[in-house]
Amino acid sequence: MKQIILGAFLLGSQLLSAQGVIGKWVTYDDETKKPKSEVEIFQQNGAYFGKITSLLNRPAGEGEVICEKCTGEKKNKPVVGLNIIENMKKSGSEYKGGTITDPKNGKSYTCVFYVDPKDANTLIVKGYVGPFSRSQYWKRK
């Protein structure tokens, strides 16, 4: 009986790991720790991208949020639908080589992300400026 339960557990863990990063993830506000947005990570032409699909915990009746501080083609675009993760390539268990944009300040950062090896439902996302980084923990939806 123990072997059957252990086998089912291992199979379930392998299936979660096989899901990789593709799918919807909930981001959290760094200060309040409340859910902030949903980001859908998808693959296109061999690279991985992530777009905001919805904003969470916003007061009812607030208008559309625009990326006013963004530059280039993202400037003044609606935040919902905006690709904030771009051109990531899989390298072992990590995804790197692309960028992540913070719509709040409009800045783009070098990015690395990977599924937490201890929890297949947590994505560890790191944005870099030179040698300095900031990590966020997103949860699978």
Side-chain angles (χ1 to χ4, degrees), residues 19-37:
Q19 286 180 324
V21 297
I22 293 175
K24 288 194 177 182
W25 298 88
V26 176
T27 72
Y28 294 84
D29 185 277
D30 289 333
E31 295 171 17
T32 66
K33 307 299 184 212
K34 291 182 179 179
K36 181 171 64 173
S37 65

Side-chain angles (χ1 to χ4, degrees), residues 11-81:
L11 179 61
S13 296
Q14 289 173 346
L15 289 174
L16 278 174
S17 293
Q19 286 180 324
V21 297
I22 293 175
K24 288 194 177 182
W25 298 88
V26 176
T27 72
Y28 294 84
D29 185 277
D30 289 333
E31 295 171 17
T32 66
K33 307 299 184 212
K34 291 182 179 179
K36 181 171 64 173
S37 65
E38 288 179 7
V39 174
E40 181 176 6
I41 296 179
F42 59 96
Q43 187 177 16
Q44 182 177 331
N45 299 324
Y48 293 81
F49 298 81
K51 69 178 174 182
I52 296 175
T53 57
S54 66
L55 298 175
L56 307 172
N57 290 316
R58 295 189 63 233
E62 274 194 9
E64 186 173 58
V65 176
I66 304 297
C67 194
E68 296 171 353
K69 294 183 179 180
C70 288
T71 58
E73 63 186 37
K74 294 179 184 174
K75 184 160 183 66
N76 295 322
K77 297 289 185 196
V79 170
V80 173

Side-chain angles (χ1 to χ4, degrees), residues 34-128:
K34 291 182 179 179
K36 181 171 64 173
S37 65
E38 288 179 7
V39 174
E40 181 176 6
I41 296 179
F42 59 96
Q43 187 177 16
Q44 182 177 331
N45 299 324
Y48 293 81
F49 298 81
K51 69 178 174 182
I52 296 175
T53 57
S54 66
L55 298 175
L56 307 172
N57 290 316
R58 295 189 63 233
E62 274 194 9
E64 186 173 58
V65 176
I66 304 297
C67 194
E68 296 171 353
K69 294 183 179 180
C70 288
T71 58
E73 63 186 37
K74 294 179 184 174
K75 184 160 183 66
N76 295 322
K77 297 289 185 196
V79 170
V80 173
L82 190 71
N83 278 349
I84 61 166
I85 296 174
E86 296 183 299
N87 300 312
M88 302 297 288
K89 301 285 185 180
K90 187 168 179 19
S91 176
S93 61
E94 293 185 335
Y95 297 77
K96 55 188 177 180
T99 59
I100 187 165
T101 300
D102 182 347
K104 194 172 187 177
N105 65 22
K107 295 180 182 179
S108 291
Y109 305 93
T110 302
C111 182
V112 172
F113 61 80
Y114 53 93
V115 175
D116 185 336
K118 296 177 184 173
D119 179 4
N121 290 312
T122 298
L123 187 69
I124 300 172
V125 181
K126 295 183 177 189
Y128 289 87

